[in-house]
Amino acid sequence: REEERGMSERGGIGGADLFGYVGIESVLDQMRRKTVKAGFEFNIMVVGQSGLGKSTLVNTLFKSKVSRKSCTPNYEEKISKTVRLHAVSHVIEEKGVKMKLTVIDTPGFGDQINNQNCWEPIVKYVNEQYEKYLREELNVNRKRRIPDSRVHCCIYFLPASGHSLRPIDVEFMKRLGKIVSIVPVIAKADTLTLEERQEFKERIRQDLEANGIHVYPQRELDEDPEDRILNDRIRDSIPFAVVGTDKEHQVNGHKVLGRKTKWGIIEVENVAHCEFANLRDLLIRSHLQDLKDVAHNVHYETYRVRRLNESNMNLSELVLSSWPLQNKMDKCETESHL
Amino acid sequence: LPCWMLSSLSIEDQEDIQFPFAMRDLPPVSHSAGHPCSPKIPPRANPAGLNSQIPPLPMRSPVVSQVSVDCPLSPASRPRSPWGRFDPYDSPEDQDKEYVGFATLPNQVHRKTVKKGFTFTLMVAGESGLGKSTLINSLFLTDLYKDRKVPNAEERISQTVDIIRHTVSIEEKGIKLKLSIIDTPGFGDAINNTESWRHVEDYIDHQFEQYFRDESGLNRKNIQDNRVHCLLYFVSPFGHGLRPVDVGCMRALHEKVNIIPLLAKADSLTHSELHRKKMKIREEIKEFGINIYQFPECDSDEDEDLKTQERILQDSIPFAVIGSNIQVESKGRKFRGRSYPWGVVEVENPAHSDFLLLRNMLVRTHMQDLKDVTREMHYENYRAQCIQNMTLMMVQEKKRSLHERFQAGREAEFPLPLAAIDTEKERQIIEKDEELRRMQEVLDRIQEQMQHSQRGSC
């Protein structure tokens, strides 16, 4: 995107000075080809009580069976006693573009009788990924492409109670909103009528504001008025009321993804029924790169600054401390070098 | 089977026992949808072994017989019952036989109970947002929660579980029902829910305690029965069966109150999901040993309708319910329901939910049974345990005072102890303790000497 802007500026100022066609814009093509070859990485975390449809939603989002649940035929959900994190990676391809998608599941969150501090393993995991990246960055011999396991986006599932946020929701989002982009969604939203849905969302937004929780897209990060307008529209409909399914039914002659009940078929991709399509567009079609950028430029940088300040060392010392991670013989040489 | 405690202290609530008679002879009560068959209640398994339709009458009720035994009346001169329609002697085959005439008692009782009215206490528990209040309003066609303010997340953080009691008097066809609904807002909402059900448990115990006190008191005429007859437990449809909170709570309460598990917000589930979830919940209930309310067994001579009805009820646990406070219109009809962009859900449609089953069960067929089980099983358990605890405390007190006196050495003042054997054993134990202590002292001294000599030698 930066290239683009630079190009237009140059084009605006010096356009009259160029004789003929230079071909600057082919840089875009080259970039595109390279990124397509290299592929994208996207790490998404799903958090919520068991049974809210997290795995189903991820499968529906990426139109493939990327979640553990679908891989085992007679999968019996057992509520685990502690919060553990499972990261599963798949490479999915569309129109020649490869994406390495990692879904991080958090079974056990919010399921126990006493859920005190159940967010801590998650906070720890997120920070660990940042730490890993930081270490790689500080290495002497850096890899060309640092493997990025940082969490780009965290989808938080709210049960469709129709009232407001629960204490556990507030606590979780307060803590994680500072270190990762949170996208709250209302799970299994086919239990709310449209009026109830609006009221619920309104109350959630009020609760979020009252508690100082900033969810994605954050207001402060809007870069220009265009972005602002687009993001305002998104912010007005957060949290998205979603319904997920992997079953198809016939409606009016087409096959649609939906849930069939005795009183009608809930079409997942129909915006009049639920906001799944909006969520998908946000996450994948329009803001995927933005999520990664925000994770890298904002959250990661915050972590990095905090880490460097905390350890009370300056950069070189930290670098020295990370060197023993590689080969030990280099240490003596480089010390003498300094 | 209920434990029949025929001690002289137990009160049999006369009006309550005779309720099944009254209800059975009532014409079918129908308000909205018409019901083709009149609901009947299966009588409880008869402990006296009498294979008759009429359960044994309590000893204390005055048997008003309009006939003296010396001169049996001929059928023609038998006084007609004021409830002409329900006269059990009206059938042609009975005209020739001679009867005493007490089969009209149910009708007499009916009149009395109608005047007095019934009470029923229902408790609801479950996470907030599962539609408890809406369901209560739908069940009893009332609006108990008109000016309700739902607390937001901030207010909820420091909230404990409240117990709120709503009382409403409903009257239908001349029969009064005083319904008490106990709500438990805040249940299961906190981050740490280990204390959630403690308040509920305490409340139930408190009601039992109060009734026990009243029962053992001197003036027993107007005892208020506030005991909880039934607990509707709302299980969330979003989970995979029962959650740990659900299991913990139900296990803490299953010996104190009749638990009926409900699957809330059932319109979020498709037919197959619903079936699977019900199976799962039933399995888990068995697995964790939770004793939910069991529907009474039908005697083999009951008619088939009743048996199938009971079987349907048994197979529908947990009841999948939907509630609604608003009326919607569809296809020319107006009904209570929920309107979605993809269709309209009808609350009272048996194909959509088990709401009707629940309401019939609760109000029309099993209300008396719920009260009976509460009275006979749960309350009696509580009472027995209470009395046991009291006697245990008394015995311990006596033992302690005896022990003190023994220690002081005043053996001559031994009153006749309640349990003579125990004090003998206690004395032996105390003697042995003394011995052991002396031996320990001797050992210590020997050890000291050894150490001393060892140090000396070094």
Side-chain angles (χ1 to χ4, degrees), chain A residues 49-52 69 76-77 79 111-117 119 159-168 170-171 188-194 196-197 203 207 210-211 259-266 272-273, chain B residues 127-130 148 150-154 156-157 189-194 197 237-240 242-245 248 265-271 273 277 280 287 322 326 338-345 351-352:
Chain A
Q49 278 180 317
S50 88
L52 285 180
K69 200 161 188 186
E76 280 263 317
E77 276 287 342
I79 291 185
D111 282 334
Q112 307 312 315
I113 298 179
N114 182 357
N115 291 313
Q116 207 68 44
N117 300 332
W119 47 80
S161 67
H163 290 185
S164 64
L165 289 182
R166 302 166 299 160
I168 191 179
V170 171
E171 288 300 310
K188 299 202 171 175
D190 53 344
T191 193
L192 298 168
T193 60
L194 292 179
E196 290 169 352
R197 197 193 282 180
R203 257 174 272 159
D207 277 342
N211 284 294
R259 287 166 61 72
K260 184 162 183 193
T261 60
K262 291 205 188 72
W263 42 88
I265 297 186
I266 304 158
H273 288 189
Chain B
E127 278 175 20
S128 75
L130 286 181
R148 192 170 171 225
V150 182
N152 62 19
E154 273 174 45
R156 274 206 230 164
I157 285 181
D189 276 348
I191 297 182
N192 183 352
N193 288 316
T194 36
W197 56 81
F238 303 134
H240 293 273
L242 293 179
R243 282 203 224 260
V245 191
K265 293 200 169 178
D267 54 350
S268 63
L269 302 169
T270 62
H271 184 73
E273 287 170 352
K277 211 154 271 198
K280 185 104 200 286
E287 184 188 326
I322 305 173
I326 42 182
R338 292 170 65 72
S339 159
Y340 293 109
W342 49 86
V344 181
V345 178
H352 289 184

Side-chain angles (χ1 to χ4, degrees), chain A residues 8 16 21 26 74 76 80 84-85 100 104 107 148 160 191 209 214 230 239 260 279-280 287 310 324-325:
Chain A
S8 63
Y21 174 69
S26 59
N74 284 329
E76 280 263 317
S80 54
R84 290 168 297 130
L85 286 99
K100 177 165 172 250
I104 304 145
D148 190 1
T191 193
E209 209 180 295
H214 297 290
L230 181 63
K260 184 162 183 193
L279 177 71
R280 183 196 48 205
H287 286 65
E310 217 175 66
L325 287 176

Side-chain angles (χ1 to χ4, degrees), chain B residues 207-254:
Chain B
Q207 303 312 307
F208 279 155
E209 188 188 322
Q210 189 205 323
Y211 193 83
F212 184 39
R213 257 191 249 276
D214 288 346
E215 201 186 43
S216 322
L218 294 172
N219 183 358
R220 302 203 292 194
K221 246 197 212 163
N222 297 320
I223 301 183
Q224 261 223 328
D225 186 3
N226 288 330
R227 299 173 291 188
V228 180
H229 298 126
C230 173
L231 171 69
L232 293 179
Y233 192 85
F234 285 69
V235 178
S236 167
F238 303 134
H240 293 273
L242 293 179
R243 282 203 224 260
V245 191
D246 301 332
V247 176
C249 177
M250 287 205 271
R251 288 192 63 171
L253 298 176
H254 64 166

Side-chain angles (χ1 to χ4, degrees), chain A residues 45 85 119-135 149-151 175-176 178-180 299-300 302-304 306-307 310:
Chain A
M45 179 188 267
L85 286 99
W119 47 80
E120 275 176 9
I122 300 178
V123 173
K124 201 167 92 132
Y125 178 85
V126 171
N127 286 335
E128 267 171 16
Q129 307 315 307
Y130 288 149
E131 182 68 24
K132 234 193 266 180
Y133 196 88
L134 181 67
R135 297 246 165 227
S149 62
R150 300 171 296 186
V151 180
R175 282 152 218 269
L176 262 89
K178 301 200 184 105
I179 56 177
V180 78
H299 296 296
Y300 171 66
T302 319
Y303 176 82
R304 187 170 164 277
R306 183 165 51 90
R307 191 77 175 78
E310 217 175 66

Side-chain angles (χ1 to χ4, degrees), chain B residues 278-443:
Chain B
K278 282 195 182 185
M279 287 283 128
K280 185 104 200 286
I281 293 180
R282 287 222 282 268
E283 270 170 35
E284 287 179 333
I285 287 179
K286 219 183 292 178
E287 184 188 326
F288 289 109
I290 300 172
N291 300 332
I292 55 172
Y293 172 68
Q294 297 295 327
F295 297 105
E297 298 280 322
C298 286
D299 290 336
S300 51
D301 60 347
E302 295 291 338
D303 56 37
E304 279 303 313
D305 276 349
L306 214 55
K307 282 201 240 175
T308 34
Q309 189 75 350
E310 287 298 306
R311 218 177 313 131
I312 293 175
L313 275 178
Q314 197 69 44
D315 285 339
S316 309
I317 291 263
F319 294 114
V321 291
I322 305 173
S324 170
N325 283 333
I326 42 182
Q327 297 226 336
V328 295
E329 190 164 333
S330 157
K331 300 189 182 130
R333 292 188 301 137
K334 273 198 147 205
F335 48 79
R336 272 196 183 222
R338 292 170 65 72
S339 159
Y340 293 109
W342 49 86
V344 181
V345 178
E346 225 182 307
V347 165
E348 293 183 3
N349 185 337
H352 289 184
S353 77
D354 295 330
F355 175 80
L356 271 186
L357 274 181
L358 175 70
R359 182 161 68 185
N360 284 347
M361 186 220 64
L362 211 50
V363 179
R364 294 189 200 171
T365 51
H366 288 77
M367 188 180 271
Q368 187 53 32
D369 191 58
L370 285 164
K371 291 172 77 167
D372 283 342
V373 174
T374 310
R375 193 168 36 99
E376 295 154 12
M377 200 160 78
H378 301 293
Y379 173 66
E380 291 299 328
N381 279 343
Y382 170 82
R383 192 171 157 276
Q385 204 163 52
C386 217
I387 295 179
Q388 232 179 19
N389 286 344
M390 288 200 310
T391 40
L392 202 67
M393 280 200 303
M394 283 196 326
V395 168
Q396 278 183 354
E397 262 308 314
K398 279 236 153 73
K399 279 209 293 197
R400 212 178 312 136
S401 61
L402 284 172
H403 183 96
E404 283 169 11
R405 288 199 201 163
F406 175 69
Q407 287 288 52
R410 286 177 285 163
E411 291 186 32
E413 287 190 33
F414 257 173
L416 284 172
L418 274 173
I421 312 166
D422 282 344
T423 39
E424 184 58 38
K425 278 215 180 114
E426 274 212 58
R427 207 174 338 139
Q428 289 179 352
I429 291 173
I430 292 168
E431 282 177 9
K432 289 257 161 40
D433 275 341
E434 283 291 327
E435 267 188 65
L436 277 169
R437 201 157 29 88
R438 267 178 262 129
M439 277 172 41
Q440 188 68 34
E441 280 176 39
V442 168
L443 273 170

